[in-house]
């Protein structure tokens, strides 16, 4: 998950319109910057915790196909439906009705603010290298520090503060440079015999079959690409609009290469069981094993700088989703309230109160960064699945296509993106799907609220059935978590 540089782009655009036209190289850099966040720093341990080298290779292959299809879906929809600019949920709403659209907005919002909780956890997990009392980012000291950071950012946003171009540049360098250095060093130190020691992972019975191992990698690989749909935000700044699609693909392939190399090369430095036992950010432990303590210091500091910028950007994004949805009637109107400085103040407050609540929950549940990003990844699947389905629907019906225009490619990409999303739902597993059901079910209250405000029919028959089913699953999941049959976090 990345620090989508929407705020920096907006600030630059507002202050210097003449400087907003970007060429392909600059656009590609922006796309990369919008995807690289905290996830890459923990990839070695996150991937190795449930899979061996073979399954990790297969996992990256599936992700390459699925995410590339999603890239093409968003690029196609941006061109064919330029008026639907309110985010991925707008596609779900246009294609499948207001209830599906609302749940897509709700799920995207859940993913964004739970992602912020994970950022807070990983920041203080990294700082525990220097102050051990922070532990894995879920001790009372870490929660207290994260709470202070959260409300400092809240006040900054209320004051109208946005990332300036120079801050964005520093943060981007802090993200990319250590990753490239890490890859270069461990590539030289890579040991083939360590990598091949248990290539299939079947020597470790706890990992299960190769298919089970592949499933365990899916939400990890999704997590590091969340934000890829934000690339279209830069379309107005492109010198040539056709460069947007090219930049997105180049940025995606670059990040895919970086992510895959980080996770796979690490398995040639430390074997799978030891790698799985590393604390996060696990890149620090891998580099320390090769070059000594300065490697861990470098990675931990780089992560703190990177995630501090990510925390600010995703606070803005998390507040913006319900704000825009409140303005277009998808969510209650109170979310649309803005301060005198144009900040979505009500949405921001509600969002950060939820982040604060979950930070406290991590203290009592001892929740880890990995558990939190699994939930955030699972929550975002609804808008992703319906975005792919909407692209396929347009290709089937011919809507927005010219006479004789080929639709086969768009249909294929839409279907692949949809199937990939459904596969991720299956791969997520029961615990995380139950947790998402618990978080999605209360949204129905806000949906009914919004529909009544707009004097619109609340449910059509199919939507009513879906709503009842969602509440039933949510209540059952809550009961299972209460009794301990399914873990909550």
């Amino acid at each position: 998950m990345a620090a989508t540089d929407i705020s920096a782009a907006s600030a630059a655009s507002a202050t210097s319109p003449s400087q907003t036209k970007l060429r392909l190289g600059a656009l590609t850099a922006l796309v990369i910057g919008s995807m690289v966040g905290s996830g890459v720093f923990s990839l070695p341990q996150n991937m190795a915790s449930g899979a061996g080298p073979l399954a990790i290779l297969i996992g990256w292959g599936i992700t390459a196909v699925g995410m590339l299809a999603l890239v093409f879906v968003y690029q196609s929809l941006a061109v064919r439906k330029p008026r639907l600019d309110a985010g991925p949920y707008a596609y779900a709403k246009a294609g499948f009705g207001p209830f599906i659209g609302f749940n897509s907005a709700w799920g995207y919002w859940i993913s964004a603010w739970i992602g912020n909780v994970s950022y807070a956890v990983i920041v203080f997990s990294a700082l525990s290298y220097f102050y051990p009392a922070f532990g894995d980012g879920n001790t009372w000291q870490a929660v207290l520090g994260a709470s202070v950071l959260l409300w400092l950012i809240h006040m900054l946003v209320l004051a109208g503060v946005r990332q300036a171009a120079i801050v964005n540049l520093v943060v981007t360098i802090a993200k990319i440079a250590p990753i490239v250095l890490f890859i270069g060093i461990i590539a030289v130190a890579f040991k083939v015999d360590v990598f091949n020691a248990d290539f299939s992972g079947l020597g470790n019975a706890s990992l299960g079959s190769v298919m089970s191992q592949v499933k365990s990698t899916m939400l990890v690989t999704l997590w590091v690409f969340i934000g890829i749909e934000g690339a279209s935000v830069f379309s107005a700044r492109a010198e040539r609009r056709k460069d947007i699609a090219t930049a997105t693909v180049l940025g995606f392939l670059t990040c895919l290469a970086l992510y895959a190399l980080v996770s796979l090369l690490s398995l040639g430095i430390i074997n799978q069981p030891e790698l799985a036992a590393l604390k996060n950010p696990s890149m620090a432990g891998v580099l320390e094993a090769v070059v000594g303590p300065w490697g861990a210091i470098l990675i931990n500091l780089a992560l703190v700088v990177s995630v501090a910028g990510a925390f600010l950007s995703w606070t803005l994004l998390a507040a913006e989703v319900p704000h825009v949805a409140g303005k277009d009637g998808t969510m209650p109107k109170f979310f649309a309230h803005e301060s005198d400085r144009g900040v979505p103040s009500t949405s921001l407050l509600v969002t950060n109160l939820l982040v604060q609540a979950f930070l406290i929950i991590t203290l009592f549940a001892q929740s880890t960064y990995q558990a939190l990003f699994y939930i955030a990844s699972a929550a975002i699947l609804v808008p992703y699945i319906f975005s792919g389905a909407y692209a396929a629907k347009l290709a089937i019906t011919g809507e927005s296509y010219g006479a004789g225009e080929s639709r086969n490619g768009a249909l294929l990409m839409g279907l692949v993106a949809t199937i990939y999303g459904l596969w991720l739902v299956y791969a997520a597993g029961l615990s995380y799907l139950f947790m998402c059901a618990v978080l999605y079910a209360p949204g129905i209250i806000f949906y009914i609220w919004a529909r009544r405000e707009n004097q619109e029919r609340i449910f059509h028959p199919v939507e009513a059935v879906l709503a009842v089913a969602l509440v039933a699953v949510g209540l059952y999941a809550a009961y299972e978590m209460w009794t301990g049959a399914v873990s909550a976090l």
Side-chain angles (χ1 to χ4, degrees), residues 103 106-107 110-111 114 219 358 372-382 425 428-443 470 473-474 477 481 487-489:
N103 278 287
W106 187 263
I110 289 172
S111 178
I114 290 184
L219 290 185
F358 259 62
L372 289 163
F373 83 66
Y374 273 163
I375 296 169
S377 298
I380 207 170
L381 292 178
V382 169
V425 170
L430 195 60
S431 295
Y432 296 105
L433 293 180
F434 271 7
M435 187 64 189
C436 285
V438 170
L439 293 170
Y440 265 87
L470 179 58
V473 173
M481 291 175 185
S487 63
L489 284 174

Side-chain angles (χ1 to χ4, degrees), residues 39-371:
V40 64
F41 294 96
S42 301
L43 266 178
Q45 185 277 334
N46 291 166
M47 296 293 275
S49 65
L54 175 61
I56 291 174
L57 278 168
I58 296 171
W60 283 119
I62 294 172
T63 299
V65 174
M67 291 304 298
L68 191 58
L70 196 60
V71 166
F72 285 129
V73 160
Y74 281 117
Q75 292 307 311
S76 173
L77 291 175
V79 171
R80 300 196 178 280
K81 292 292 182 179
R83 294 184 180 180
L84 298 178
D85 57 359
Y89 80 86
Y91 301 132
K93 184 177 181 180
F96 305 99
F99 184 63
I100 297 297
F102 170 84
N103 278 287
S104 292
W106 187 263
Y108 200 90
W109 182 43
I110 289 172
S111 178
W113 62 257
I114 290 184
N116 272 356
V117 180
S118 75
Y119 277 147
V121 170
I122 194 69
V123 162
F124 284 89
S125 177
L127 289 174
S128 71
Y129 184 84
F130 309 102
Y131 182 58
F134 288 145
D136 289 328
N138 53 9
T139 64
W140 73 263
Q141 295 95 330
V143 170
L144 178 61
S147 300
V148 171
L149 177 62
L150 170 67
W151 294 107
L152 283 175
I153 289 175
H154 181 89
M155 289 187 287
L156 285 173
V157 175
L158 279 181
V161 174
R162 298 293 188 269
Q163 282 178 296
I166 186 64
V167 175
N168 177 55
L169 176 62
V170 171
V171 170
T172 301
I173 292 173
K175 294 177 190 176
I176 302 300
I179 297 171
V180 174
L181 178 63
F182 174 88
I183 290 172
I185 291 174
I186 66 172
V188 173
F190 183 83
K191 298 181 179 64
V192 176
D193 58 328
V194 175
F195 184 80
N196 288 333
D198 185 16
F199 184 70
S200 68
L202 297 176
N204 185 345
S206 65
L207 297 180
S209 67
V210 173
M211 180 57 70
S212 296
Q213 294 176 49
V214 171
K215 284 171 58 182
S216 77
T217 70
M218 288 292 95
L219 290 185
V220 180
T221 58
L222 171 65
W223 168 249
V224 293
F225 286 113
I226 288 179
I228 196 171
E229 70 286 346
S232 60
V233 75
F234 303 117
S235 60
R237 304 182 67 202
E239 187 173 80
R240 298 182 303 173
R241 291 188 67 86
K242 67 179 183 180
D243 284 344
I244 293 296
T246 304
T248 302
V249 173
L250 288 175
F252 166 73
L253 293 176
T254 300
C255 288
L256 176 65
L258 290 175
Y259 295 157
L261 286 171
V262 165
S263 61
L264 289 166
L265 289 176
S266 296
L267 286 163
I269 304 298
I270 301 174
N271 61 40
Q272 181 272 326
E274 294 177 353
L275 197 58
L278 287 179
K279 77 181 298 292
N280 283 314
S282 50
M283 272 179 61
V286 175
L287 193 57
E288 183 176 28
V290 177
V291 302
W294 73 263
I297 294 172
L298 173 67
I299 296 299
N300 279 289
L301 290 176
L303 181 139
V304 170
V305 173
S306 176
V307 176
F311 208 153
L312 173 58
S313 289
W314 277 87
T315 295
L316 292 166
L317 180 60
E320 188 69 10
V321 172
H323 174 66
V324 174
K327 291 171 68 175
D328 70 12
T330 300
M331 293 181 73
K333 292 178 181 177
F334 74 87
F335 280 111
H337 180 266
E338 294 182 358
S339 70
D340 294 338
R341 296 176 180 269
V343 175
S345 52
T346 301
S347 177
L348 178 68
L349 178 61
V350 174
T351 298
N352 284 343
L353 285 173
L354 287 167
V355 173
Q356 180 66 76
F358 259 62
L359 282 173
I360 295 171
I361 289 173
T362 66
L363 176 62
F364 292 102
Q366 288 295 292
S367 304
T368 63
Y369 166 77
Q370 192 167 358

